[in-house]
Amino acid sequence: MFRASVAAFAAAITFAATARAETAMPFALDWKFEGPAAPYFVAIDKGHFAAEDLSVEVSEGAGSLDAIPKVATGAFPVGFADINSLMKFLDQNPGAPVTAVMMIYDKPPFAVVGRKSQGVAAPKDLEGRKLGAPPPDGAWAQFPIFAAENGLDMGKITVEPVGFPTREPMLAEGQVDAVTGFSFSSTLNLIRLGVAEDDIATLLMADHGVALYGNAIIVNTEFAKANPEAVTGFLRAVAKGWKDSVADPEAAIAALIERNPAADPALEQRRLQMAVADNVLTDWVKANGMGDVDAARMAKAIEQTRSVYEFQNEPDAKLYFDPAWLPTDGSLTFE
């Protein structure tokens, strides 16, 4: 069973104590301050968190495998991480007090991004070529499902372990023929590096048979049980931040640039708009609102995960996603 540290226990007590007034809810991102992080800064700047009596500070991350333990130990009450990585974490750490409570990437950005000039334009083209993949990458973790769904022979693909900082530069320089990554990150990073846009093939795994969900807001369940109103308020503020960012992406990026002045505003606005169009504002979300998941699709996602990952314990969707804290006041719907 998962055992929280003394420090984590103390942190949980601190979180609970502040709930009577303004609740401190530091938020652990999975990645850097890039376009898709802008909605959380909008929620701060527009006072959406303050309206819920919340004090929120956003911290950068180094991938989902970094964000999940931060929340599980109580170092952060809330975070942002890939739900598929969360499944495996909970399987390996049964009883860990962490679960997803609000789906953000209804359609995950897991992708294979290749260069047409190097022969990669479709999934089958990966055979006989070199694929760059960072070992901790969420997209790489799902690649076996993508390969199985598209009948790829893994023995014919040369996998080159690469670091996150060198992934796109290696593809731009022709050292690999394709990489795994998030669609809006790898694609735009290549453009920034000077690769012609019409030379880039972005193969979104969700368009090629992968039924998985993507990143979600995750919560420390001990904190959530002690502070249910704070968690629901946090999710309501997040939804407002996303809706504001959809309505005015330029203003959203201005909020981001305040936190990351070195970023390219035009590039990050495009990255945000790609995430909205491809991952957040899907047809399902337009019809049902953001935040929840479809039970049948979630069951299929678990089965796809089971096909490439040997669960130590019987998988249970209720452990990975709990909609109990989602607001029910209509704040999750897009007009």
Side-chain angles (χ1 to χ4, degrees):
M1 297 295 287
F2 185 92
R3 296 183 179 179
S5 66
V6 173
F9 179 71
I13 292 176
T14 300
F15 292 148
T18 57
R20 298 184 184 88
E22 186 178 68
T23 305
M25 291 187 70
F27 179 47
L29 283 182
D30 66 326
W31 196 235
K32 301 173 184 178
F33 290 172
E34 295 183 338
Y40 310 112
F41 299 123
V42 170
I44 292 173
D45 293 349
K46 284 208 166 188
H48 298 324
F49 289 124
E52 303 288 346
D53 294 323
L54 303 176
S55 174
V56 176
E57 181 176 348
V58 182
S59 296
E60 288 188 342
S64 291
L65 298 182
D66 171 59
I68 294 169
K70 288 177 179 176
V71 176
T73 60
F76 286 78
V78 283
F80 186 59
D82 167 38
I83 195 170
N84 308 288
S85 298
L86 178 66
M87 285 185 199
K88 296 173 185 177
F89 178 87
L90 286 169
D91 184 54
Q92 295 159 14
N93 299 277
V98 58
T99 192
V101 292
M102 182 183 191
M103 187 56 60
I104 301 296
Y105 294 158
D106 179 66
K107 189 176 182 180
F110 306 135
V112 174
V113 180
R115 292 184 62 182
K116 298 174 185 176
S117 60
Q118 290 171 223
V120 178
K124 203 69 175 174
D125 296 336
L126 293 169
E127 293 183 354
R129 292 184 170 83
K130 186 178 290 186
L131 175 69
D137 178 41
W140 167 243
Q142 315 314 326
F143 186 82
I145 298 173
F146 172 80
E149 290 292 325
N150 291 277
L152 302 185
D153 184 345
M154 290 292 289
K156 294 181 180 179
I157 302 172
T158 301
V159 178
E160 179 80 18
V162 300
F164 286 120
T166 60
R167 172 175 50 191
E168 288 84 19
M170 288 181 69
L171 180 55
E173 293 167 7
Q175 297 178 42
V176 295
D177 303 305
V179 296
T180 62
F182 276 17
S183 53
F184 49 71
S185 292
S186 291
T187 300
L188 294 181
N189 288 345
L190 287 171
I191 293 172
R192 179 176 54 82
L193 290 168
V195 177
E197 192 163 349
D198 61 5
D199 187 30
I200 301 171
T202 302
L203 308 177
L204 203 62
M205 293 185 186
D207 292 337
H208 295 276
V210 178
L212 307 181
Y213 280 98
N215 280 42
I217 303 295
I218 62 174
V219 69
N220 180 284
T221 53
E222 293 174 355
F223 173 85
K225 289 171 184 175
N227 303 275
E229 292 182 3
V231 173
T232 296
F234 182 89
L235 302 182
R236 181 164 37 240
V238 164
K240 290 179 179 179
W242 272 102
K243 288 194 282 188
D244 288 341
S245 298
V246 170
D248 192 348
E250 185 174 354
I253 295 304
L256 174 79
I257 296 301
E258 282 189 27
R259 280 79 176 185
N260 184 7
D264 179 334
L267 188 74
E268 295 310 327
Q269 182 171 331
R270 188 172 179 193
R271 199 188 309 271
L272 170 62
Q273 290 175 301
M274 281 182 68
V276 168
D278 295 339
N279 313 115
V280 178
L281 196 53
T282 63
D283 290 342
W284 195 91
V285 169
K286 290 175 183 176
N288 299 279
M290 75 182 304
D292 209 347
V293 301
D294 176 73
R297 180 181 160 194
M298 188 66 175
K300 183 176 180 180
I302 290 174
E303 287 308 305
Q304 284 192 335
T305 300
R306 193 201 290 265
S307 71
V308 298
Y309 171 77
E310 186 175 351
F311 282 94
Q312 300 174 22
N313 303 282
E314 184 63 22
D316 182 354
K318 294 178 181 178
L319 294 175
Y320 316 134
F321 185 86
D322 188 346
W325 290 281
L326 286 172
T328 57
D329 59 358
S331 57
L332 300 177
T333 60
F334 281 84
E335 299 299 333

